[in-house]
Amino acid sequence: MALIVQKYGGTSVGTIERIRNVARRAIKTKEQGHSVIVVVSAMAGETDRLIGLAQQITDLPDEREYDVLVSTGEQVSVALLAITLHSMGNSAVSFLGHQIKIQTDSAFSKARILNIDSERIMNSLDHGTIVIVAGFQGVDEDNNITTLGRGGSDTTAVAVAAALNADVCEIYTDVDGVYTTDPNICSDARKLEKISYDEMLEMASLGAKVLQIRSVELAKKYNVSIHVRSSLSDNTGTIVTKEDEEMEKVMVSGVTYNQNEAKITILRVPDKPGVASKIFTPITEANINVDMIIQNTSTDGYADLTFTVPKADFKKALGIVQKTAKELNAVDVLSDPNIAKVSIVGAGMRSHAGVASKMFTVLANVGVNIMMISTSEIKISCVIDAKFTELAVRVLHETFELSKSDVSQE
Ligand code: ADP
Ligand code: ASP
Ligand code: MG
């Protein structure tokens, strides 16, 4: 008998019929003799709808109230699933974040889980009850409702799996695994049987939204085995696990894109110690994550600094930078929200030379200008004009022979 955590995303609980399907799957697992914890997201489109309502009032809603609002989607889906399970003659109980003390820090809209009180969950499981946990939400030490960032139900699931020492965390979604690139924009994408935590971490942080990055971090830290699969079939999906020798042989295992960032440039600031700190400290204090940074230094003692921030924080960041620019007598602040970051990821890059130049050449050949570049041991990212995203993803996917038809990397 195993302890299995199953997480179902928005599409998988998008209608009452889909919720029935989730209930049937949970029951089947239970009937096989396992203990089952189900983590659910809000019904498809619901979180966007809630955010849209707040945006009709203001661009910058109060952060605490924003989380009170957007966490409601999951309250609906846990209750609907519990009612469905009851109607099918099963014992089930739903829990919201505060009821099982999913304790987080107070970073509203991007909170991190610190602790989960597993006792109440264990008690219910011991009684043979299917436990349903609301994804995406927690409470801080003052009992304020917090949320974990978009896609955060994945993180709830992995955190619950880690806290209860589950045997596996199954992430059910609308595709049947992790692919070499987003199968919804590249029909030739190939499903991966296995992917290492590190590669998945890079893919997730670079835009492959199939798993929230924090969920992969937690899985790696607590050695939780993740199985990403479809809620509409019984096919085996992708196992996210520790790296093995076979994985290291693959030079590039995936191509990702992210259109959720915006670029800000501060023009002609003095090129001297302390300037970068003056620019970035207030941004960090506002809890905004800066991603890529480049600095061009001119010979006359001035520098231009360009960096990217999440689109959701773009207006806030721009306001802060404009203020700092005045203080530093910068010439101007430029901004561009229409950018995309395309990246290639692969553990084998460590041991293969020439991957970066191949990437730059292929983008140049199709007329795509590279605005920013960043690299790590196992990834290369380029910021480009957002309108070229699909083109760039497709040519990179083809160049690095990731397609279904190509078996050389299998
Ligand atoms: P859920 O609502 O189940 O959490 P998400 O929309 O968050 O689902 O994540 C699944 C989506 O991730 C897929 O529909 C797909 O478009 C996208 N995706 C992006 N990159 C990848 C990839 N490399 N492999 C699989 N899916 C990907
Ligand atoms: N409902 C939340 C979102 O749409 C969390 C999740 O789906 O994982 O981002
Ligand atoms: Mg998701």
Side-chain angles (χ1 to χ4, degrees):
M1 180 178 138
L3 172 55
I4 297 177
V5 175
Q6 301 185 330
K7 177 262 170 176
Y8 293 90
T11 322
S12 305
V13 294
T15 61
I16 296 299
E17 199 33 59
R18 290 274 170 91
I19 292 177
R20 284 203 184 98
N21 171 56
V22 168
R24 283 191 287 268
R25 279 191 173 267
I27 293 167
K28 193 169 152 199
T29 312
K30 172 106 206 314
E31 286 176 351
Q32 285 163 353
H34 307 303
S35 294
V36 188
I37 303 172
V38 184
V39 176
V40 285
S41 296
M43 294 169 85
E46 179 60 8
T47 309
D48 287 339
R49 188 186 73 85
L50 294 165
I51 293 170
L53 289 176
Q55 278 172 347
Q56 283 179 42
I57 307 168
T58 168
D59 273 343
L60 290 173
D62 177 83
E63 293 180 331
R64 179 185 182 278
E65 303 311 327
Y66 177 92
D67 276 7
V68 174
L69 174 70
V70 299
S71 61
T72 59
E74 274 70 14
Q75 178 160 351
V76 173
S77 44
V78 285
L80 289 175
L81 179 58
I83 293 168
T84 308
L85 282 161
H86 296 161
S87 75
M88 293 175 167
N90 283 265
S91 165
V93 61
S94 70
F95 290 127
L96 299 180
H98 71 92
Q99 293 172 310
I100 45 166
K101 305 253 173 317
I102 299 190
Q103 220 215 301
T104 69
D105 59 20
S106 299
F108 294 114
S109 83
K110 52 187 115 174
R112 289 166 82 91
I113 297 179
L114 304 172
N115 193 39
I116 296 179
D117 178 5
S118 44
E119 210 180 295
R120 197 154 177 199
I121 300 179
M122 279 313 276
N123 278 343
S124 300
L125 291 175
D126 287 346
H127 287 92
T129 299
I130 295 176
V131 171
I132 307 161
V133 174
F136 182 51
Q137 55 175 262
V139 277
D140 72 3
E141 59 178 354
D142 297 322
N143 266 334
N144 295 305
I145 294 174
T146 55
T147 62
L148 311 178
R150 297 308 305 267
S153 300
D154 298 331
T155 300
T156 307
V158 174
V160 166
L164 282 114
N165 211 359
D167 295 272
V168 62
C169 180
E170 298 179 330
I171 304 280
Y172 287 91
T173 183
D174 56 2
V175 287
D176 53 10
V178 178
Y179 280 72
T180 47
T181 193
D182 186 346
N184 287 322
I185 76 156
C186 184
S187 57
D188 221 14
R190 181 167 50 85
K191 189 175 82 184
L192 300 166
E193 249 174 66
K194 269 199 292 186
I195 182 167
S196 69
Y197 290 125
D198 286 337
E199 285 174 316
M200 192 63 236
L201 217 47
E202 290 284 10
M203 298 239 325
S205 71
L206 296 169
K209 68 168 184 165
V210 60
L211 286 177
Q212 198 201 33
I213 174 169
R214 183 77 187 125
S215 71
V216 190
E217 282 170 5
L218 281 182
K220 182 180 176 192
K221 185 166 173 195
Y222 295 102
N223 210 3
V224 175
S225 174
I226 300 183
H227 183 181
V228 180
R229 55 192 305 196
S230 163
S231 59
L232 297 175
S233 83
D234 282 324
N235 296 346
T236 310
T238 302
I239 306 289
V240 187
T241 184
K242 277 192 215 148
E243 188 167 322
D244 62 33
E245 275 173 23
E246 211 177 292
M247 292 172 181
E248 284 165 30
K249 282 193 210 131
V250 183
M251 185 166 72
V252 174
S253 49
V255 179
T256 61
Y257 66 94
N258 178 355
Q259 294 178 321
N260 295 326
E261 288 186 10
K263 184 164 71 90
I264 298 178
T265 301
I266 177 163
L267 282 181
R268 286 183 72 77
V269 289
D271 182 21
K272 61 177 194 202
V275 167
S277 154
K278 273 216 178 76
I279 295 172
F280 291 114
T281 304
I283 298 175
T284 313
E285 279 168 357
N287 218 344
I288 297 171
N289 291 323
V290 172
D291 180 22
M292 290 164 87
I293 303 175
I294 52 167
Q295 182 178 318
N296 307 323
T297 309
S298 66
T299 45
D300 59 359
Y302 288 90
D304 300 337
L305 227 137
T306 302
F307 58 94
T308 60
V309 292
K311 258 189 196 152
D313 293 324
F314 177 49
K315 286 194 180 148
K316 200 164 140 193
L318 197 56
I320 295 171
V321 174
Q322 275 159 345
K323 199 164 155 259
T324 318
K326 270 205 189 107
E327 289 164 20
L328 292 171
N329 285 323
V331 168
D332 205 354
V333 175
L334 309 176
S335 62
D336 183 359
N338 298 315
I339 56 157
K341 183 168 67 173
V342 290
S343 313
I344 53 176
V345 177
M349 268 185 221
R350 289 193 195 104
S351 49
H352 290 77
V355 184
S357 60
K358 197 167 172 183
M359 178 175 189
F360 305 152
T361 306
V362 72
L363 290 178
N365 286 347
V366 291
V368 174
N369 185 40
I370 301 171
M371 302 175 190
M372 300 171 85
I373 298 168
S374 87
T375 61
S376 81
E377 250 195 326
I378 64 166
K379 72 113 201 276
I380 303 162
S381 300
C382 296
V383 170
I384 61 169
D385 188 325
K387 68 174 185 258
F388 295 126
T389 312
E390 288 195 20
L391 170 68
V393 168
R394 288 210 195 95
V395 293
L396 290 170
H397 195 261
E398 205 179 297
T399 302
F400 290 101
E401 300 176 344
L402 295 170
S403 304
K404 274 190 261 191
S405 48
D406 187 273
V407 287
S408 64
Q409 292 218 358
E410 295 226 31

Short mmCIF file of all heavy atoms in Angstrom, two decimals, residues 144-196:
data_model
loop_
_atom_site.label_atom_id
_atom_site.label_comp_id
_atom_site.label_asym_id
_atom_site.label_seq_id
_atom_site.Cartn_x
_atom_site.Cartn_y
_atom_site.Cartn_z
N ASN A 144 -3.01 35.52 7.74
CA ASN A 144 -3.45 36.12 6.48
C ASN A 144 -3.40 35.05 5.40
O ASN A 144 -2.46 34.23 5.38
CB ASN A 144 -2.52 37.25 6.06
CG ASN A 144 -2.57 38.41 7.04
OD1 ASN A 144 -3.64 38.95 7.31
ND2 ASN A 144 -1.41 38.78 7.57
N ILE A 145 -4.38 35.07 4.50
CA ILE A 145 -4.34 34.13 3.37
C ILE A 145 -3.24 34.58 2.41
O ILE A 145 -3.11 35.76 2.10
CB ILE A 145 -5.70 34.11 2.64
CG1 ILE A 145 -6.77 33.52 3.56
CG2 ILE A 145 -5.61 33.32 1.33
CD1 ILE A 145 -8.17 33.58 3.02
N THR A 146 -2.45 33.62 1.96
CA THR A 146 -1.40 33.92 0.97
C THR A 146 -1.59 33.01 -0.24
O THR A 146 -2.24 31.97 -0.13
CB THR A 146 -0.01 33.64 1.57
OG1 THR A 146 0.02 32.28 2.04
CG2 THR A 146 0.31 34.58 2.72
N THR A 147 -1.02 33.39 -1.38
CA THR A 147 -1.00 32.47 -2.53
C THR A 147 0.44 32.32 -3.03
O THR A 147 1.31 33.14 -2.73
CB THR A 147 -1.93 32.92 -3.68
OG1 THR A 147 -1.48 34.18 -4.17
CG2 THR A 147 -3.37 33.01 -3.23
N LEU A 148 0.64 31.24 -3.78
CA LEU A 148 2.02 30.79 -4.07
C LEU A 148 2.53 31.17 -5.44
O LEU A 148 3.57 30.66 -5.87
CB LEU A 148 2.07 29.26 -3.94
CG LEU A 148 1.47 28.65 -2.68
CD1 LEU A 148 1.55 27.12 -2.75
CD2 LEU A 148 2.19 29.16 -1.44
N GLY A 149 1.83 32.05 -6.15
CA GLY A 149 2.26 32.40 -7.51
C GLY A 149 1.54 31.52 -8.52
O GLY A 149 1.12 30.41 -8.20
N ARG A 150 1.43 32.02 -9.77
CA ARG A 150 0.68 31.29 -10.79
C ARG A 150 1.25 29.88 -10.95
O ARG A 150 2.46 29.68 -10.93
CB ARG A 150 0.72 32.03 -12.14
CG ARG A 150 0.06 33.39 -12.14
CD ARG A 150 -1.35 33.42 -11.61
NE ARG A 150 -2.31 32.52 -12.23
CZ ARG A 150 -3.10 32.84 -13.24
NH1 ARG A 150 -3.06 34.05 -13.76
NH2 ARG A 150 -3.98 31.96 -13.72
N GLY A 151 0.36 28.94 -11.07
CA GLY A 151 0.79 27.55 -11.19
C GLY A 151 1.16 26.91 -9.85
O GLY A 151 1.69 25.81 -9.79
N GLY A 152 0.82 27.61 -8.75
CA GLY A 152 1.29 27.20 -7.42
C GLY A 152 0.71 25.91 -6.87
O GLY A 152 1.22 25.37 -5.89
N SER A 153 -0.35 25.39 -7.50
CA SER A 153 -0.90 24.13 -6.99
C SER A 153 0.10 22.97 -7.15
O SER A 153 0.08 22.02 -6.37
CB SER A 153 -2.19 23.77 -7.72
OG SER A 153 -3.12 24.78 -7.54
N ASP A 154 0.96 23.07 -8.14
CA ASP A 154 2.01 22.04 -8.29
C ASP A 154 2.87 22.01 -7.03
O ASP A 154 3.23 20.95 -6.52
CB ASP A 154 2.94 22.37 -9.48
CG ASP A 154 2.21 22.40 -10.82
OD1 ASP A 154 1.22 21.68 -10.95
OD2 ASP A 154 2.66 23.14 -11.71
N THR A 155 3.17 23.21 -6.54
CA THR A 155 4.03 23.32 -5.36
C THR A 155 3.31 22.80 -4.11
O THR A 155 3.91 22.12 -3.28
CB THR A 155 4.47 24.80 -5.19
OG1 THR A 155 5.18 25.14 -6.38
CG2 THR A 155 5.35 24.99 -3.97
N THR A 156 2.02 23.11 -4.00
CA THR A 156 1.25 22.55 -2.89
C THR A 156 1.37 21.03 -2.91
O THR A 156 1.61 20.40 -1.88
CB THR A 156 -0.24 22.94 -3.00
OG1 THR A 156 -0.34 24.35 -3.13
CG2 THR A 156 -1.03 22.46 -1.79
N ALA A 157 1.19 20.45 -4.09
CA ALA A 157 1.19 18.98 -4.20
C ALA A 157 2.54 18.40 -3.77
O ALA A 157 2.59 17.44 -2.99
CB ALA A 157 0.86 18.57 -5.63
N VAL A 158 3.62 18.98 -4.27
CA VAL A 158 4.94 18.44 -3.92
C VAL A 158 5.22 18.66 -2.43
O VAL A 158 5.78 17.79 -1.75
CB VAL A 158 6.05 19.05 -4.81
CG1 VAL A 158 7.42 18.59 -4.35
CG2 VAL A 158 5.82 18.66 -6.27
N ALA A 159 4.82 19.83 -1.92
CA ALA A 159 5.06 20.10 -0.49
C ALA A 159 4.28 19.11 0.38
O ALA A 159 4.80 18.60 1.38
CB ALA A 159 4.66 21.54 -0.16
N VAL A 160 3.04 18.82 0.00
CA VAL A 160 2.25 17.84 0.75
C VAL A 160 2.91 16.46 0.65
O VAL A 160 3.04 15.73 1.64
CB VAL A 160 0.78 17.81 0.23
CG1 VAL A 160 0.03 16.60 0.75
CG2 VAL A 160 0.05 19.09 0.63
N ALA A 161 3.36 16.12 -0.56
CA ALA A 161 4.03 14.82 -0.75
C ALA A 161 5.28 14.72 0.11
O ALA A 161 5.54 13.68 0.73
CB ALA A 161 4.37 14.62 -2.23
N ALA A 162 6.03 15.82 0.20
CA ALA A 162 7.26 15.81 1.01
C ALA A 162 6.91 15.72 2.49
O ALA A 162 7.49 14.92 3.23
CB ALA A 162 8.09 17.07 0.73
N ALA A 163 5.91 16.50 2.92
CA ALA A 163 5.56 16.53 4.34
C ALA A 163 5.05 15.17 4.82
O ALA A 163 5.27 14.78 5.96
CB ALA A 163 4.50 17.61 4.60
N LEU A 164 4.35 14.45 3.94
CA LEU A 164 3.78 13.16 4.35
C LEU A 164 4.60 11.98 3.87
O LEU A 164 4.18 10.83 4.00
CB LEU A 164 2.35 13.05 3.85
CG LEU A 164 1.41 13.87 4.74
CD1 LEU A 164 0.81 15.01 4.01
CD2 LEU A 164 0.39 13.00 5.41
N ASN A 165 5.75 12.30 3.27
CA ASN A 165 6.62 11.23 2.80
C ASN A 165 5.90 10.29 1.83
O ASN A 165 5.97 9.07 1.95
CB ASN A 165 7.13 10.46 4.02
CG ASN A 165 8.49 9.90 3.76
OD1 ASN A 165 9.03 10.08 2.66
ND2 ASN A 165 9.05 9.19 4.74
N ALA A 166 5.20 10.89 0.87
CA ALA A 166 4.42 10.10 -0.09
C ALA A 166 5.34 9.31 -1.02
O ALA A 166 6.50 9.67 -1.21
CB ALA A 166 3.53 11.03 -0.91
N ASP A 167 4.82 8.26 -1.59
CA ASP A 167 5.63 7.44 -2.49
C ASP A 167 5.80 8.10 -3.85
O ASP A 167 6.82 7.96 -4.50
CB ASP A 167 4.97 6.06 -2.66
CG ASP A 167 4.98 5.32 -1.34
OD1 ASP A 167 5.97 4.64 -1.07
OD2 ASP A 167 4.01 5.47 -0.56
N VAL A 168 4.76 8.81 -4.28
CA VAL A 168 4.87 9.50 -5.57
C VAL A 168 3.93 10.69 -5.60
O VAL A 168 2.90 10.71 -4.91
CB VAL A 168 4.58 8.52 -6.76
CG1 VAL A 168 3.19 7.96 -6.69
CG2 VAL A 168 4.82 9.18 -8.11
N CYS A 169 4.32 11.70 -6.37
CA CYS A 169 3.45 12.86 -6.58
C CYS A 169 3.09 12.88 -8.06
O CYS A 169 3.94 13.11 -8.92
CB CYS A 169 4.20 14.13 -6.18
SG CYS A 169 3.21 15.61 -6.39
N GLU A 170 1.83 12.58 -8.36
CA GLU A 170 1.40 12.55 -9.76
C GLU A 170 0.79 13.91 -10.11
O GLU A 170 -0.12 14.38 -9.43
CB GLU A 170 0.34 11.46 -9.96
CG GLU A 170 0.87 10.06 -9.66
CD GLU A 170 -0.19 8.98 -9.84
OE1 GLU A 170 -1.39 9.26 -9.66
OE2 GLU A 170 0.20 7.84 -10.16
N ILE A 171 1.30 14.52 -11.16
CA ILE A 171 0.78 15.81 -11.61
C ILE A 171 -0.03 15.56 -12.88
O ILE A 171 0.52 15.28 -13.94
CB ILE A 171 1.92 16.81 -11.90
CG1 ILE A 171 2.84 17.00 -10.68
CG2 ILE A 171 1.36 18.14 -12.43
CD1 ILE A 171 2.34 17.93 -9.61
N TYR A 172 -1.35 15.62 -12.75
CA TYR A 172 -2.22 15.39 -13.90
C TYR A 172 -2.53 16.70 -14.59
O TYR A 172 -2.96 17.66 -13.95
CB TYR A 172 -3.54 14.74 -13.44
CG TYR A 172 -3.38 13.30 -13.04
CD1 TYR A 172 -3.10 12.95 -11.73
CD2 TYR A 172 -3.50 12.29 -13.99
CE1 TYR A 172 -2.95 11.63 -11.35
CE2 TYR A 172 -3.35 10.96 -13.63
CZ TYR A 172 -3.08 10.64 -12.31
OH TYR A 172 -2.93 9.32 -11.96
N THR A 173 -2.29 16.73 -15.91
CA THR A 173 -2.51 17.99 -16.62
C THR A 173 -3.14 17.73 -17.98
O THR A 173 -3.69 16.65 -18.21
CB THR A 173 -1.17 18.76 -16.68
OG1 THR A 173 -1.39 20.01 -17.32
CG2 THR A 173 -0.07 18.00 -17.41
N ASP A 174 -3.10 18.74 -18.86
CA ASP A 174 -3.79 18.60 -20.15
C ASP A 174 -2.87 18.12 -21.27
O ASP A 174 -3.25 18.11 -22.43
CB ASP A 174 -4.50 19.91 -20.53
CG ASP A 174 -3.55 21.10 -20.56
OD1 ASP A 174 -2.34 20.92 -20.34
OD2 ASP A 174 -4.04 22.22 -20.81
N VAL A 175 -1.62 17.78 -20.95
CA VAL A 175 -0.73 17.13 -21.93
C VAL A 175 -0.21 15.88 -21.23
O VAL A 175 -0.26 15.80 -19.99
CB VAL A 175 0.45 18.05 -22.34
CG1 VAL A 175 -0.02 19.17 -23.25
CG2 VAL A 175 1.17 18.63 -21.13
N ASP A 176 0.31 14.88 -22.02
CA ASP A 176 0.60 13.66 -21.28
C ASP A 176 2.06 13.50 -20.86
O ASP A 176 2.59 12.40 -20.80
CB ASP A 176 0.05 12.41 -21.98
CG ASP A 176 0.48 12.31 -23.41
OD1 ASP A 176 1.34 13.10 -23.79
OD2 ASP A 176 -0.06 11.45 -24.13
N GLY A 177 2.67 14.62 -20.52
CA GLY A 177 4.01 14.56 -19.97
C GLY A 177 4.78 15.84 -20.25
O GLY A 177 4.20 16.83 -20.72
N VAL A 178 6.07 15.78 -19.96
CA VAL A 178 6.95 16.90 -20.27
C VAL A 178 7.51 16.62 -21.66
O VAL A 178 8.03 15.54 -21.93
CB VAL A 178 8.09 17.02 -19.25
CG1 VAL A 178 9.02 18.17 -19.62
CG2 VAL A 178 7.55 17.17 -17.83
N TYR A 179 7.40 17.59 -22.54
CA TYR A 179 7.86 17.43 -23.92
C TYR A 179 9.15 18.22 -24.17
O TYR A 179 9.53 19.06 -23.36
CB TYR A 179 6.76 17.93 -24.89
CG TYR A 179 5.66 16.93 -25.12
CD1 TYR A 179 4.73 16.64 -24.12
CD2 TYR A 179 5.55 16.26 -26.33
CE1 TYR A 179 3.72 15.72 -24.32
CE2 TYR A 179 4.54 15.34 -26.55
CZ TYR A 179 3.63 15.07 -25.54
OH TYR A 179 2.63 14.14 -25.75
N THR A 180 9.75 17.93 -25.32
CA THR A 180 10.98 18.64 -25.69
C THR A 180 10.73 20.14 -25.84
O THR A 180 11.65 20.94 -25.70
CB THR A 180 11.55 18.08 -27.00
OG1 THR A 180 10.46 17.97 -27.93
CG2 THR A 180 12.20 16.72 -26.79
N THR A 181 9.51 20.50 -26.17
CA THR A 181 9.08 21.90 -26.11
C THR A 181 7.56 21.90 -25.96
O THR A 181 6.95 20.83 -25.97
CB THR A 181 9.55 22.71 -27.33
OG1 THR A 181 9.35 24.11 -27.05
CG2 THR A 181 8.78 22.34 -28.60
N ASP A 182 6.97 23.08 -25.80
CA ASP A 182 5.52 23.14 -25.60
C ASP A 182 4.78 22.45 -26.78
O ASP A 182 4.83 22.95 -27.90
CB ASP A 182 5.10 24.61 -25.50
CG ASP A 182 3.63 24.76 -25.15
OD1 ASP A 182 2.89 23.76 -25.24
OD2 ASP A 182 3.23 25.88 -24.77
N PRO A 183 4.14 21.32 -26.53
CA PRO A 183 3.47 20.60 -27.63
C PRO A 183 2.35 21.42 -28.25
O PRO A 183 1.93 21.13 -29.38
CB PRO A 183 2.93 19.33 -26.97
CG PRO A 183 2.89 19.63 -25.51
CD PRO A 183 3.95 20.66 -25.23
N ASN A 184 1.89 22.44 -27.55
CA ASN A 184 0.83 23.26 -28.12
C ASN A 184 1.34 24.29 -29.13
O ASN A 184 0.55 24.90 -29.84
CB ASN A 184 0.04 23.98 -27.02
CG ASN A 184 -0.84 22.98 -26.27
OD1 ASN A 184 -1.40 22.07 -26.88
ND2 ASN A 184 -0.95 23.14 -24.96
N ILE A 185 2.66 24.51 -29.18
CA ILE A 185 3.13 25.40 -30.25
C ILE A 185 4.04 24.67 -31.25
O ILE A 185 4.35 25.19 -32.28
CB ILE A 185 3.79 26.70 -29.73
CG1 ILE A 185 5.19 26.48 -29.20
CG2 ILE A 185 2.94 27.45 -28.74
CD1 ILE A 185 5.98 27.78 -29.27
N CYS A 186 4.45 23.45 -30.94
CA CYS A 186 5.29 22.72 -31.87
C CYS A 186 4.77 21.28 -31.94
O CYS A 186 4.96 20.49 -31.02
CB CYS A 186 6.74 22.77 -31.38
SG CYS A 186 7.90 22.00 -32.49
N SER A 187 4.07 20.98 -33.02
CA SER A 187 3.38 19.68 -33.10
C SER A 187 4.37 18.52 -33.18
O SER A 187 4.01 17.37 -32.96
CB SER A 187 2.44 19.66 -34.30
OG SER A 187 3.20 19.92 -35.45
N ASP A 188 5.63 18.84 -33.46
CA ASP A 188 6.64 17.80 -33.58
C ASP A 188 7.32 17.49 -32.24
O ASP A 188 8.24 16.68 -32.18
CB ASP A 188 7.68 18.27 -34.60
CG ASP A 188 8.12 17.15 -35.50
OD1 ASP A 188 7.43 16.12 -35.52
OD2 ASP A 188 9.15 17.31 -36.17
N ALA A 189 6.88 18.16 -31.18
CA ALA A 189 7.53 17.96 -29.87
C ALA A 189 7.42 16.50 -29.44
O ALA A 189 6.45 15.82 -29.75
CB ALA A 189 6.89 18.86 -28.83
N ARG A 190 8.45 16.03 -28.74
CA ARG A 190 8.50 14.62 -28.34
C ARG A 190 8.39 14.52 -26.81
O ARG A 190 8.99 15.29 -26.07
CB ARG A 190 9.83 14.04 -28.81
CG ARG A 190 10.05 12.57 -28.51
CD ARG A 190 11.25 12.05 -29.29
NE ARG A 190 12.43 12.88 -29.14
CZ ARG A 190 13.29 12.79 -28.14
NH1 ARG A 190 13.12 11.91 -27.19
NH2 ARG A 190 14.34 13.58 -28.09
N LYS A 191 7.62 13.54 -26.37
CA LYS A 191 7.47 13.35 -24.91
C LYS A 191 8.74 12.72 -24.34
O LYS A 191 9.30 11.80 -24.93
CB LYS A 191 6.27 12.44 -24.64
CG LYS A 191 5.94 12.38 -23.16
CD LYS A 191 4.69 11.58 -22.89
CE LYS A 191 4.98 10.10 -22.85
NZ LYS A 191 3.76 9.30 -22.70
N LEU A 192 9.19 13.25 -23.20
CA LEU A 192 10.39 12.70 -22.56
C LEU A 192 9.95 11.64 -21.56
O LEU A 192 9.00 11.85 -20.82
CB LEU A 192 11.15 13.81 -21.83
CG LEU A 192 11.62 14.97 -22.71
CD1 LEU A 192 12.05 16.17 -21.87
CD2 LEU A 192 12.79 14.51 -23.59
N GLU A 193 10.66 10.53 -21.55
CA GLU A 193 10.33 9.48 -20.59
C GLU A 193 10.73 9.88 -19.18
O GLU A 193 10.03 9.64 -18.20
CB GLU A 193 11.11 8.22 -20.95
CG GLU A 193 10.27 7.10 -21.46
CD GLU A 193 11.17 5.98 -21.91
OE1 GLU A 193 11.85 5.40 -21.05
OE2 GLU A 193 11.19 5.72 -23.12
N LYS A 194 11.93 10.49 -19.14
CA LYS A 194 12.51 10.89 -17.85
C LYS A 194 13.20 12.23 -18.04
O LYS A 194 13.72 12.51 -19.10
CB LYS A 194 13.59 9.88 -17.43
CG LYS A 194 13.10 8.76 -16.60
CD LYS A 194 14.25 8.08 -15.87
CE LYS A 194 15.22 7.33 -16.76
NZ LYS A 194 16.23 6.57 -16.03
N ILE A 195 13.23 13.03 -16.99
CA ILE A 195 14.02 14.26 -17.05
C ILE A 195 14.60 14.48 -15.65
O ILE A 195 13.95 14.13 -14.65
CB ILE A 195 13.17 15.45 -17.55
CG1 ILE A 195 14.01 16.73 -17.66
CG2 ILE A 195 11.96 15.71 -16.68
CD1 ILE A 195 13.33 17.84 -18.44
N SER A 196 15.81 15.04 -15.58
CA SER A 196 16.44 15.23 -14.26
C SER A 196 15.83 16.45 -13.58
O SER A 196 15.31 17.36 -14.24
CB SER A 196 17.94 15.42 -14.40
OG SER A 196 18.21 16.66 -15.02
#
